[in-house]
């Protein structure tokens, strides 16, 4: 028992608060570990994009034409498959075909869509609000 007490470090010789022990990693090690984790995430994302069947790439011959939310988790979707359009009901429980459209939906002309160049962006709106004094 006396030998164990002799090995204990007195409180006056302990490392001051704010200093690391000899084996603890410093700020450089933490930044290096963070960069390694970020590189791993980016590398895995790149790899998953190149693997077939991962779902990141849109399927060829399949396109969502229109979508309408009809509830919190329910939607009605028009999907075009090889030139044929289908009306599908999408719920949390699954997908069910509702109707096969005899002719494709009409394309919305570009004139009816809002011109995005005329809309102010977030930076412009924020600068405008910050310039106004209460």
């Amino acid at each position: 028992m006396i030998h164990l007490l002799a090995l204990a470090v007195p409180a006056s010789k302990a490392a001051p608060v704010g200093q690391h022990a000899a084996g603890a990693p410093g700020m450089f090690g933490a930044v290096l570990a963070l960069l390694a984790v970020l590189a791993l995430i980016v590398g895995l994302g790149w790899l998953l994009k190149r693997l077939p069947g991962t779902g990141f790439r849109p399927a060829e011959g399949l396109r969502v034409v229109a979508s309408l939310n009809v509830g919190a988790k329910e939607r009605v979707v028009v999907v075009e498959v090889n030139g044929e359009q289908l009306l599908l009901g999408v719920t949390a429980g699954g997908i069910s075909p509702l109707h096969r459209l005899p002719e494709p939906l009409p394309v919305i002309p570009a004139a009816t869509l809002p011109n995005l160049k005329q809309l102010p962006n977030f930076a412009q709106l924020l600068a405008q609000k910050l310039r106004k004094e209460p």
Side-chain angles (χ1 to χ4, degrees):
M1 180 98 166
I2 294 176
H3 296 287
L4 291 176
L5 291 175
L7 294 176
V9 177
S12 63
K13 293 189 179 184
V17 177
Q19 291 184 357
H20 295 288
M27 182 63 77
F28 179 74
V31 170
L32 190 63
L34 177 64
L35 290 175
V37 169
L38 290 175
L40 180 68
I41 291 172
V42 170
L44 287 176
W46 178 82
L47 181 66
L48 285 175
K49 279 185 177 181
R50 269 91 184 136
L51 291 176
T54 58
F56 287 118
R57 290 180 283 173
E60 294 179 22
L62 182 67
R63 174 175 79 97
V64 176
V65 176
S67 176
L68 176 67
N69 290 335
V70 292
K73 295 183 179 181
E74 296 84 19
R75 298 187 310 168
V76 177
V77 179
V78 176
V79 178
E80 184 174 339
V81 181
N82 293 330
E84 186 177 8
Q85 291 187 352
L86 303 170
L87 182 66
L88 304 175
V90 180
T91 65
I95 301 171
S96 56
L98 301 176
H99 185 67
R100 179 169 287 147
L101 299 176
E103 57 186 53
L105 290 178
V107 178
I108 300 172
T112 60
L113 294 175
N115 189 355
L116 296 179
K117 292 180 181 177
Q118 295 176 352
L119 297 175
N121 63 14
F122 178 74
Q124 291 172 344
L125 290 174
L126 182 62
Q128 186 181 34
K129 294 293 180 184
L130 289 176
R131 276 183 261 158
K132 291 183 180 180
E133 295 181 11

